[in-house]
Amino acid sequence: MADKKITALTSLGTATAREDLVHVVDDPSGTPINKKVTIGEMNNALMAPVSLADSAVTLTEATHAGRLLIGNDLTADRIMTLPTPIAGMHFRFVGPNIASGAEDGHDLIIAAGTGNSIYFQGQVTFLDIDGNAISVVGSDGNSNENLQINVPGHYDVECVGVSATVWRVTGFVASDTAPAFSD
């Protein structure tokens, strides 16, 4: 086959399958080498879940974006700091991973930034574990940079970048104490 530019090749479009191959240049900023990967292998590698540490974590696009972020049983209140949003970048937090099914004794705080220059827009549904309330808790849409998930029994919260300053937040929190947005 004669050499062709990638742009001159025929697109598979919607016929793309997991076993199709993709050309990859491994380590382009170091010692580049040509390799192959199936679309399925690439998708699995990029979607592998990440277990969050029981410590403050500064999340990164490379390590955490687009993956399921599993929260663990915390030994103290912990802050997970999002990077500057990029439209389409997303983070999904689920947890806590507690074997007994009991509520975590500490809070998970998802931080969008500092100085209210990066903030949340959206709401989460609050499910009161003792059964006397279901409500929606929303951000003020223009300055709330923290979402505090108080002593959760369970949460499933997604943050999606919509601009360089806004994270769209949605999901639910099950707890005896309502989550709260703050500056």
Side-chain angles (χ1 to χ4, degrees):
M1 176 167 102
D3 289 342
K4 282 188 175 182
K5 291 183 177 184
I6 291 176
T7 56
L9 298 174
T10 304
S11 171
L12 281 174
T14 59
T16 301
R18 289 182 61 85
E19 65 272 6
D20 291 337
L21 295 175
V22 176
H23 174 250
V24 176
V25 179
D26 187 20
D27 195 17
S29 60
T31 307
I33 185 166
N34 291 313
K35 293 188 178 179
K36 67 178 181 180
V37 65
T38 68
I39 290 175
E41 290 168 336
M42 183 173 69
N43 189 50
N44 292 344
L46 295 175
M47 300 291 287
V50 175
S51 182
L52 295 171
D54 179 18
S55 62
V57 176
T58 299
L59 303 169
T60 66
E61 180 181 15
T63 302
H64 304 98
R67 299 174 183 227
L68 185 64
L69 304 175
I70 301 169
N72 287 305
D73 186 8
L74 302 176
T75 58
D77 293 354
R78 300 295 187 203
I79 298 173
M80 303 295 152
T81 304
L82 296 165
T84 300
I86 299 170
M89 181 169 47
H90 71 278
F91 296 85
R92 182 175 173 209
F93 300 86
V94 297
N97 185 16
I98 301 174
S100 68
E103 291 176 73
D104 195 325
H106 302 282
D107 303 343
L108 172 67
I109 301 150
I110 302 171
T114 58
N116 301 323
S117 60
I118 299 174
Y119 52 88
F120 291 112
Q121 289 182 341
Q123 308 86 349
V124 293
T125 302
F126 169 55
L127 306 170
D128 190 347
I129 290 176
D130 58 16
N132 60 7
I134 296 176
S135 61
V136 174
V137 177
S139 70
D140 67 5
N142 63 20
S143 67
N144 289 159
E145 63 188 31
N146 295 308
L147 168 57
Q148 185 158 340
I149 300 172
N150 296 299
V151 292
H154 181 61
Y155 54 85
D156 189 336
V157 173
E158 187 159 11
C159 302
V160 179
V162 296
S163 73
T165 59
V166 176
W167 285 105
R168 175 75 178 151
V169 63
T170 188
F172 73 88
V173 174
S175 177
D176 281 330
T177 306
F181 287 93
S182 65
D183 292 351

